[in-house]
Amino acid sequence: MSGKIESRLAELGIDLAQGPAPAANYVPYAIVGDLVTISGQISMTPEGMLTGKLGDDVSLEQGQAAARVCAINLLSQLKSACGGDLDRVVRVVRLGGFVNSTPDFTDQPAVINGASDFMVEVFGDAGKHARAAVGCVSLPFGVAVEVEGTFQIK
């Protein structure tokens, strides 16, 4: 039987895949006490990576969709950290969003709303979190967005 969060994800049409393995010398997540910190997740789907630069060849809407993909990837890693039970999540504590953008692009917060809005869609009020949204000259593999997160679990 699936839990409340898995049921909510199913309502949203989302089936969490196994989180990707790290691409370098780090772990996908670290648990300290009741906090889980998930390493940055990039805008990668099973079909490929969502690449490009906001303010150039990626629209705001495409950037928001890329941030949502990052958030889904965060939950894939979080599910693994929680032993498969996302109902252990007490709240989303913080998201850090990185946007591959031109120097004159200033809507990074609107881009990262794609991830923030998703967390609230899934977790309700427990999905509301502290956050940073910053612009970067480039990101790994040329992806449009990367998001990291910290979650409280029981």
Side-chain angles (χ1 to χ4, degrees):
M1 181 172 145
S2 65
K4 178 182 170 189
I5 299 303
E6 289 286 342
S7 295
R8 179 64 184 137
L9 288 168
E11 287 173 16
L12 295 171
I14 296 169
D15 183 25
L16 296 178
Q18 176 73 27
N25 188 18
Y26 63 92
V27 294
Y29 58 84
I31 302 172
V32 177
D34 65 346
L35 295 178
V36 179
T37 298
I38 308 291
S39 295
Q41 299 296 301
I42 59 175
S43 50
M44 181 173 60
T45 69
E47 293 77 36
M49 295 186 204
L50 305 171
T51 61
K53 192 171 286 286
L54 278 288
D56 184 15
D57 57 349
V58 177
S59 71
L60 176 61
E61 293 76 19
Q62 290 169 319
Q64 290 169 331
R68 182 181 176 93
V69 166
C70 294
I72 292 168
N73 292 339
L74 280 171
L75 290 193
S76 292
Q77 296 291 4
L78 183 60
K79 183 176 178 178
S80 178
C82 290
D85 184 6
L86 285 171
D87 286 347
R88 291 183 58 199
V89 176
V90 174
R91 74 168 298 152
V92 181
V93 176
R94 180 186 182 280
L95 296 181
F98 306 91
V99 180
N100 186 353
S101 53
T102 61
D104 59 337
F105 183 82
T106 59
D107 278 342
Q108 289 86 358
V111 171
I112 301 305
N113 279 345
S116 293
D117 293 347
F118 177 73
M119 292 299 172
V120 174
E121 275 184 86
V122 173
F123 295 106
D125 282 343
K128 295 179 180 176
H129 52 272
R131 183 181 95 173
V134 298
C136 300
V137 68
S138 68
L139 286 172
F141 311 110
V143 296
V145 181
E146 180 174 353
V147 180
E148 63 183 11
T150 301
F151 302 81
Q152 182 183 18
I153 60 171
K154 55 184 173 188

